[in-house]
Amino acid sequence: MSGVDDLMMEITPEVLLKAYSCGIFPMAESADDPGLFWVEPKVRGILPLEKFRISRRLARTVRQGKFEIRVDTAFDLVVAKCAEHTLDRDNTWISGRIAALYGELYKMGHAHSVESWRDGELVGGLYGVRLGAAFFGESMFTRVSDASKVALVHLVERLRVGGFELLDTQFLTEHLARFGAVALPKDQYEHFLACAVSKSADFFALDAQDE
């Protein structure tokens, strides 16, 4: 982890993509903090696509179609909801500066949202960055039980069909470990990262199958 960036330094979307290709990503201390700091974990969380697993209960929820899954229809709203205060989280690392940067990546086609809707309301979802055959999961939220989990299931299927090789989770949490996420030392992660970003993948291949 490095220190807070120089506020005079312009962090552009292009700089951000270059940082991701090197295994680095930005965070803020709080929602109101204008500064950012670069993070480069010594141990990195990834979710191997071929080892992704879900519980029988969640598989049943997916089959029942309780949520309408949409992609890239409300990116800014997903980011905003990921940044909201909740009973379980008093603060967030998603500042206004972070939201603006990722909004620019979305406009460039390098960031995506997977959204769970119910009765016309956005009730869960996630967003992340796409670079080559790598997808970097940034944050997720849920307002209804299983909404974010179903979005994750959809993301994994989309990445599999599209030929992606790496789903980066940044850190390994107990929640993600239930889906098969593992931790990699920095050198091993950098090897996987270099291979993935040098290749191409199609984030929208799943949509073509459904046509």
Side-chain angles (χ1 to χ4, degrees):
M1 179 185 299
S2 63
V4 176
D5 67 330
D6 182 350
L7 294 181
M8 298 301 293
M9 173 186 174
E10 183 182 7
I11 300 180
T12 65
E14 291 78 13
V15 169
L16 197 51
L17 290 175
K18 180 61 177 178
Y20 272 97
S21 72
C22 297
I24 306 169
F25 56 89
M27 296 182 74
E29 289 288 354
S30 68
D32 301 323
D33 186 359
L36 303 179
F37 58 90
W38 294 107
V39 181
E40 188 178 18
K42 294 182 179 180
V43 178
R44 195 69 167 244
I46 71 165
L47 184 47
L49 297 174
E50 72 281 1
K51 296 182 179 179
F52 181 71
R53 60 177 183 266
I54 61 176
S55 67
R56 291 180 179 177
R57 185 190 64 79
L58 181 57
R60 184 169 59 251
T61 298
V62 172
R63 289 194 302 270
Q64 290 171 344
K66 292 183 176 181
F67 304 101
E68 177 191 356
I69 299 298
R70 305 180 190 174
V71 174
D72 288 351
T73 69
F75 181 86
D76 291 340
L77 183 56
V78 170
V79 175
K81 286 186 173 293
C82 285
E84 284 179 355
H85 295 276
T86 67
L87 293 176
D88 299 325
R89 186 186 64 224
D90 293 331
N91 211 336
T92 177
W93 58 270
I94 304 174
S95 64
R97 191 176 179 197
I98 287 279
L101 277 169
Y102 287 88
E104 289 300 313
L105 288 184
Y106 168 71
K107 293 175 184 177
M108 295 167 60
H110 280 289
H112 301 283
S113 59
V114 178
E115 310 144 13
S116 292
W117 293 77
R118 192 171 72 180
D119 299 328
E121 180 183 359
L122 178 64
V123 294
L126 56 88
Y127 76 96
V129 174
R130 173 180 59 82
L131 188 60
F135 189 89
F136 306 86
E138 284 298 310
S139 189
M140 60 198 311
F141 81 96
T142 190
R143 297 295 179 267
V144 174
S145 180
D146 290 336
S148 63
K149 294 177 183 178
V150 172
L152 178 60
V153 172
H154 179 90
L155 172 67
V156 169
E157 180 63 14
R158 179 168 289 269
L159 298 182
R160 283 173 169 169
V161 171
F164 283 79
E165 296 187 357
L166 174 65
L167 174 50
D168 178 301
T169 66
Q170 298 181 342
F171 304 103
L172 178 64
T173 65
E174 182 178 345
H175 173 69
L176 290 171
R178 296 192 186 102
F179 293 96
V182 297
L184 290 182
K186 184 173 177 289
D187 57 343
Q188 290 185 30
Y189 170 77
E190 289 177 344
H191 171 74
F192 282 109
L193 175 65
C195 291
V197 299
S198 68
K199 300 177 182 178
S200 61
D202 185 356
F203 190 77
F204 298 103
L206 184 63
D207 302 323
Q209 284 191 353
D210 294 336
E211 292 178 353

